[in-house]
Amino acid sequence: MTILITGGTGTLGGHLVPLLRHAGRNVRVLTRTSRPGADGVAYVTGDVSTGAGLDAALAGAETVVHCAGSAKGDEEKAANLVRAASAAGVRHLVYISVVGADRVPVVSGLDRAMFGYFAAKLAAERVVAESGIPWTTLRATQFHDWIVTTMGMMAKLPVMTTWGGVRFQPVDAGDVAERLAELALGEPAGLVPDIAGPRVYAMEDLARDYLRATGRRRLVVPVRTPGRAAAAYRAGANLAPDRAVGRRTWEDFLAGLSRPARIG
């Protein structure tokens, strides 16, 4: 079996590719710039944003795992991929989405500015489900890596302004990759149960944990964010407490971070 992975050089793809190789599958990774193959992985040039190169990249692939995503445009990317995958006779399309995609309403401009990712993921889910290709979609909570990146951006200012009343249930990308590999190697299953991290945390607690782990000192101030999407977040639309199946904790992840040499 040949499996094509979009987003294979990203956070999730970096965990997924070796798992599929270890399972004995031929793996292709779609990239926008050419690069030589390595460790038994072929890199093929193409762009889901424009559709360029997808026909050649998908030739002979039986399964596609679509990990490439962004804050906007996911519906168009999925549509481009679906068109090429249909023409190539792909037999299984696996998509990674986000917990709450169907529960976070993105209505106003403010909703879209802050939480447009959820609307983009839901739109892409629909493209996949209506593609005519047998499919599987897995929704995951936010990765530990995303939490750290977000906190790092917030910590650039003297005061870290968090979203008041918002909680997260961060999951490890490695845990998600293991589940995604199982799904890619199995039969199409439609929308499968969510995957979430082992614990739920208030956003301000995550911020303080991050500051301690990186040796920074900042004032953390929770601020209530307006809008229907933010209200849904406060109500826990981004959580899946009944699907706390991820193994690696937030604390374990932070323990692996490199502590900066100076406190700033």
Side-chain angles (χ1 to χ4, degrees):
M1 178 190 293
T2 296
I3 300 178
L4 175 78
I5 304 173
T6 73
T9 58
T11 299
L12 180 59
H15 292 279
L16 178 61
V17 168
L19 291 175
L20 294 176
R21 282 292 300 143
H22 183 71
R25 299 304 191 264
N26 297 319
V27 177
R28 296 179 193 164
V29 173
L30 187 73
T31 62
R32 284 182 290 183
T33 56
S34 61
R35 56 186 291 180
D39 300 321
V41 178
Y43 293 88
V44 292
T45 306
D47 190 345
V48 290
S49 298
T50 64
L54 293 186
D55 290 337
L58 283 158
E62 298 178 0
T63 297
V64 174
V65 184
H66 186 29
C67 297
S70 59
K72 61 180 180 179
D74 271 17
E75 182 179 8
E76 292 79 9
K77 292 172 185 175
N80 288 333
L81 184 63
V82 160
R83 280 193 290 270
S86 296
V90 167
R91 294 190 283 184
H92 189 187
L93 177 57
V94 183
Y95 182 56
I96 181 70
S97 188
V98 62
V99 169
D102 58 338
R103 300 196 299 263
V104 177
V106 179
V107 180
S108 67
L110 179 60
D111 291 339
R112 190 162 298 279
M114 294 192 65
F115 302 99
Y117 178 74
F118 287 83
K121 283 294 184 185
L122 183 60
E125 282 187 22
R126 290 170 176 159
V127 170
V128 169
E130 296 168 3
S131 66
I133 303 169
W135 58 278
T136 302
T137 291
L138 172 67
R139 292 171 176 163
T141 52
Q142 282 74 24
F143 294 168
H144 294 138
D145 309 76
W146 181 88
I147 299 291
V148 164
T149 298
T150 300
M151 296 305 169
M153 294 294 292
M154 290 179 169
K156 290 182 179 180
L157 299 174
V159 176
M160 288 183 71
T161 303
T162 61
W163 307 335
V166 168
R167 295 162 295 155
F168 289 97
Q169 192 176 354
V171 68
D172 194 72
D175 290 340
V176 177
E178 288 183 12
R179 178 61 176 139
L180 207 57
E182 291 176 359
L183 295 170
L185 296 171
E187 296 297 319
L191 182 62
V192 298
D194 299 340
I195 181 170
R199 288 186 56 193
V200 174
Y201 304 81
M203 190 177 187
E204 55 267 29
D205 290 338
L206 292 172
R208 295 186 181 106
D209 288 345
Y210 169 82
L211 291 172
R212 281 192 294 270
T214 57
R216 292 183 172 93
R217 293 179 182 144
R218 298 288 187 274
L219 179 64
V220 177
V221 179
V223 175
R224 191 178 181 88
T225 305
R228 289 180 59 186
Y233 241 74
R234 288 191 295 273
N238 62 313
L239 307 176
D242 59 332
R243 293 296 302 162
V245 295
R247 299 185 305 276
R248 193 181 186 201
T249 67
W250 166 244
E251 290 79 9
D252 289 340
F253 182 83
L254 282 182
L257 292 180
S258 298
R259 189 180 178 88
R262 65 181 180 83
I263 295 175

